[in-house]
Amino acid sequence: MSKDQQDRLSYAILQHFQDLISSKAVSGDAAESMAVAVQCLTEALGVDVADASQSAKLKVDQPLQEIFDKAFPPRPTKKVATKDEEAKANGLKDEGNELMKQNKYEEAIEKYTEAIDVVPVATYYCNRAAAYSKLTQHEEAVKDAKDALALDSGYSKAYARMGFAYLNMNKLPEAEDAYSNALRLDPSNQSYKDNLEAVKEKINAGPNVMSQAPPGGMPPMPGGFPNLGGMDFSQILNNPAFMNMAQQFMNDPNMQQAFTQMADQFMQGGGVGGNIGPNGIPENLDINAMMSNPALRSMAENFEAQNPEMMDQLRQQFRQPGDDNDAPNP
């Protein structure tokens, strides 16, 4: 930070203290102590808010409080709602859930936001966090999970949503902390246990483990991993649960053959220059035939048990348009 920027920040801080005194936000002994502090800091920093020449040079356009409030909006607080408000908000939430089942995540976010505007409820924030994660907007998902916890500190699913988002942002210590809290609140939840264990294993493995090919080797796909209708396949390979199982199954010759067949079918079905369907999947790719392979099916079942949220994303990418069997988030 340059000296000029340091002085501008110091000026903003001193002006903030002076504003607190002038507005009588603090009074009595507290105001007197703050005035003494301002005087001491003015001398120590060489910045004086009462100096007109310094004000012209250092004063920022917005008060420090406004800058802070914009960067860190206040957490929601509980509201005493009428029955009509509760019914309206719940209806909007249900509409959002239906849109989630249709993979209309942007529209779902709008409905959850409308519900929050009527009555801020932890569930609505948590559902919106899920929608943001579907769009890989994981930072927004973290914010919503934190807002959900501000309303209900015992909401284990909000911690799980946060852990999932942090994991996809590769913020492993934060993911571990979030999943630990989820498990603390719901000790019997196997998904939380598995995800926490997977995160710990990834932390212990070190930063370069995901860049290494699993034992036995996985057939490379020309041009890198495809983006399937918004799902970045490299994100799947960054998932610790997937990689743990991949390392186990790739030691099996049958599994190696299955992956080779899958890569070949992808290439024939539209991977390079072929026709891509509306869900981002090559039109000729026969998913049912692939999953009839016992090795692939076993891997998918184990992966779903350990990481249901990631499996949910995969299932929605590979399903055909008009197939509404996916249940909405609760």
Side-chain angles (χ1 to χ4, degrees):
M1 182 185 295
S2 67
K3 179 63 165 60
D4 182 64
Q5 282 293 85
Q6 288 178 349
D7 288 345
R8 294 182 74 198
L9 178 58
S10 297
Y11 184 98
I13 293 171
L14 290 170
Q15 185 63 62
H16 176 66
F17 289 153
Q18 193 63 54
D19 290 344
L20 290 175
I21 297 169
S22 300
S23 65
K24 297 185 178 179
V26 292
S27 58
D29 292 342
E32 186 177 343
S33 297
M34 187 171 289
V36 172
V38 168
Q39 186 177 11
C40 293
L41 288 171
T42 295
E43 294 176 1
L45 298 171
V47 175
D48 188 354
V49 296
D51 187 314
S53 61
Q54 288 196 14
S55 294
K57 179 183 177 182
L58 302 176
K59 188 174 183 179
V60 295
D61 295 334
Q62 289 179 289
L64 187 60
Q65 187 67 57
E66 288 184 13
I67 296 172
F68 182 86
D69 290 343
K70 184 177 291 185
F72 302 98
R75 296 293 181 202
T77 56
K78 291 183 179 180
K79 171 186 174 181
V80 178
T82 65
K83 289 185 178 180
D84 287 344
E85 287 175 329
E86 289 180 353
K88 181 180 180 180
N90 196 59
L92 290 166
K93 180 264 295 181
D94 289 342
E95 290 182 43
N97 287 349
E98 289 301 316
L99 290 165
M100 289 286 287
K101 288 194 287 184
Q102 300 171 39
N103 296 345
K104 296 179 178 179
Y105 304 126
E106 292 91 348
E107 293 91 332
I109 287 171
E110 291 178 4
K111 291 299 177 182
Y112 293 140
T113 301
E114 290 179 33
I116 289 167
D117 289 341
V118 177
V119 185
V121 174
T123 304
Y124 306 162
Y125 281 101
C126 199
N127 284 7
R128 194 170 68 176
Y132 277 127
S133 282
K134 296 290 189 183
L135 296 172
T136 67
Q137 296 179 24
H138 299 299
E139 290 185 1
E140 295 299 320
V142 168
K143 291 178 184 177
D144 271 358
K146 289 182 177 180
D147 282 345
L149 289 165
L151 292 166
D152 182 358
S153 60
Y155 195 7
S156 63
K157 180 165 284 189
Y159 277 116
R161 298 285 190 211
M162 191 188 305
F164 179 75
Y166 276 136
L167 177 59
N168 282 277
M169 295 161 67
N170 206 34
K171 294 185 175 182
L172 301 184
E174 291 89 342
E176 180 183 18
D177 182 67
Y179 278 125
S180 295
N181 278 303
L183 190 60
R184 172 179 57 82
L185 294 167
D186 188 1
S188 63
N189 191 301
Q190 189 61 43
S191 175
Y192 299 167
K193 292 179 182 178
D194 292 339
N195 283 322
L196 177 59
E197 184 62 29
V199 171
K200 288 181 176 179
E201 289 179 4
K202 187 174 181 182
I203 291 173
N204 293 335
N208 296 322
V209 68
M210 289 297 125
S211 63
Q212 301 171 359
M218 183 178 291
M221 293 188 179
F225 291 104
N227 186 305
L228 303 177
M231 166 65 81
D232 184 355
F233 205 73
S234 64
Q235 176 185 343
I236 302 168
L237 296 186
N238 278 328
N239 182 279
F242 182 89
M243 289 304 294
N244 286 341
M245 281 180 290
Q247 289 174 1
Q248 297 174 24
F249 282 104
M250 287 305 292
N251 288 323
D252 184 348
N254 293 328
M255 197 65 192
Q256 296 179 34
Q257 182 180 5
F259 269 101
T260 301
Q261 292 173 353
M262 181 175 69
D264 289 344
Q265 192 178 13
F266 176 82
M267 298 300 296
Q268 295 169 7
V272 177
N275 295 324
I276 303 298
N279 56 0
I281 308 300
E283 290 179 343
N284 297 328
L285 194 62
D286 189 348
I287 303 300
N288 291 330
M290 287 167 52
M291 294 312 296
S292 66
N293 183 290
L296 279 175
R297 186 171 62 251
S298 176
M299 182 177 181
E301 290 172 352
N302 280 277
F303 180 63
E304 180 171 21
Q306 293 195 28
N307 204 315
E309 293 203 13
M310 182 67 77
M311 194 64 183
D312 178 61
Q313 291 188 36
L314 284 170
R315 184 181 292 111
Q316 294 196 33
Q317 289 299 326
F318 280 103
R319 76 179 202 172
Q320 296 300 316
D323 180 4
D324 291 327
N325 291 329
D326 259 350
N329 288 7

